[in-house]
Amino acid sequence: MRVLRTLVTGASRGIGRAIALGLSRLGEVIAVVRREEQGRELAAEGKGCIQWIQADLADRKSREGLLRRAEELFGPIDSLVHAAGVAKHLGLNATDSAFLLEHMEVNFFSGFELARDLGRVLVERRQAGSMVFLSSTLVVRPASGTLAYAVSKGALEVMVRALAVELAPHGIRVNALRLGAFDTEMLRRNREGDDEEERLQRLAAMHLLGRLGEAEEAAQLAIHLLNAGFATGAIWTLDGGLLLGPPGGL
Ligand SMILES: NC(=O)c1ccc[n+]([C@@H]2O[C@H](COP(=O)([O-])OP(=O)(O)OC[C@H]3O[C@@H](n4cnc5c(N)ncnc54)[C@H](OP(=O)(O)O)[C@@H]3O)[C@@H](O)[C@H]2O)c1
């Protein structure tokens, strides 16, 4: 099955944007954006293959009925990429439930609601489909100050496996992409006050390949997974060797 019309969250920049642009060369894309100007800009770059819809995924009211609204405007959707994410760093003592919830709303709950609603309509239509969620190596190798983010992505990975089991009998596949550090605004923003370049170099050196990933590299695998007919319920790692630790010898 090749996906036909994909809803992509987080499409305004970084990895989600690279996925939306890559997918627009293969089919139709509905980009979820927070601001109209982001949508207009993407649509212009997508040359007729990218439409957009506005929602603040942190706001339950704003994201309510998002899938239904998108289908009313643009027609039936058969796949989903949930790339929207927030990542803020905070020490353990300052981390409270509200901070955890802030991460859960965008990283987890908004993805869950879209997946549930898409699963439901695809089953009703007896139509095959595919979903990809973006996760992080921080789930299995947390760093100090990343508890809230890691917890939200851990929940996402568990959800992916549970959804895959529920939806496989209906021909709907669900996968996660577990990423190392990629050179996007998220990476550059999330530790204000640090010596940025020094920090990024240190981070790059933690990967066996000695560099950060590029958004297009993550997009390539996400698009491949979306269309890979035998892939479901799996957490695919793309981390430049980060989980094997820094390069070294005996
Ligand atoms: N970069 C990495 O090293 C890395 C590593 C592991 C996993 N990931 C995951 O990969 C995904 C993409 O990350 P990235 O690096 O491309 O991040 P990014 O450059 O910070 O982009 C984040 C995207 O999420 C959107 N977003 C955030 N909050 C939103 C909200 N309330 N409503 C609607 N959209 C919202 C942003 O929209 P606005 O432009 O409106 O803010 C933006 O499009 C995320 O899920 C991230 O957790 C990234």
Side-chain angles (χ1 to χ4, degrees):
M1 171 229 169
R2 182 159 278 284
V3 299
L4 301 173
R5 187 177 289 124
T6 309
L7 190 80
V8 182
T9 68
S12 68
R13 57 187 157 89
I15 296 165
R17 179 187 172 84
I19 292 171
L21 289 172
L23 273 173
S24 73
R25 289 174 211 119
L26 307 170
E28 281 182 55
V29 172
I30 318 296
V32 178
V33 293
R34 232 188 311 205
R35 294 190 309 274
E36 278 187 36
E37 61 269 28
Q38 296 171 326
R40 280 198 293 271
E41 202 253 320
L42 254 178
E45 221 175 312
K47 299 187 175 76
C49 295
I50 301 185
Q51 316 272 5
W52 58 275
I53 187 162
Q54 195 180 5
D56 179 352
L57 297 177
D59 178 346
R60 290 183 182 206
K61 276 258 168 296
S62 169
R63 66 178 195 247
E64 198 177 294
L66 179 58
L67 186 90
R68 181 182 37 75
R69 280 191 280 135
E71 290 203 323
E72 279 168 9
L73 286 169
F74 307 114
I77 289 167
D78 61 352
S79 60
L80 165 70
V81 177
H82 182 49
V86 287
K88 298 182 182 173
H89 284 73
L90 207 56
L92 183 58
N93 288 339
T95 296
D96 57 13
S97 301
F99 187 70
L100 270 164
L101 193 59
E102 197 183 327
H103 285 77
M104 291 296 284
E105 288 292 354
V106 177
N107 298 357
F108 179 73
F109 291 128
S110 70
F112 158 71
E113 290 163 13
L114 285 169
R116 179 200 56 200
D117 293 353
L118 182 59
R120 189 179 289 154
V121 296
L122 289 175
V123 170
E124 275 167 19
R125 282 185 207 132
R126 298 176 191 275
Q127 190 184 355
S130 179
M131 307 183 197
V132 171
F133 294 82
L134 295 204
S135 184
S136 165
T137 50
L138 288 167
V139 171
V140 286
R141 191 183 172 188
S144 186
T146 64
L147 185 145
Y149 178 74
V151 165
S152 69
K153 293 295 186 180
L156 204 58
E157 289 194 5
V158 175
M159 180 191 79
V160 160
R161 289 157 57 81
L163 279 177
V165 171
E166 293 226 17
L167 295 174
H170 305 282
I172 303 163
R173 299 179 300 98
V174 189
N175 289 280
L177 188 50
R178 185 189 274 167
L179 300 174
F182 280 68
D183 193 358
T184 66
E185 277 183 51
M186 175 175 280
L187 204 67
R188 291 175 175 273
R189 270 185 184 172
N190 60 17
R191 291 245 179 159
E192 279 160 25
D194 282 6
D195 178 343
E196 174 115 315
E197 281 315 310
E198 197 264 336
R199 183 176 64 81
L200 292 181
Q201 277 174 22
R202 217 174 350 101
L203 208 49
M206 290 171 67
H207 297 68
L208 288 186
L209 295 180
R211 67 172 177 85
L212 303 172
E214 298 292 334
E216 284 69 25
E217 292 173 313
Q220 266 178 17
L221 185 51
I223 292 167
H224 177 72
L225 282 178
L226 214 53
N227 289 296
F230 200 50
T232 199
I235 315 295
W236 301 82
T237 299
L238 184 71
D239 72 344
L242 176 68
L243 290 182
L244 283 179
L250 286 177

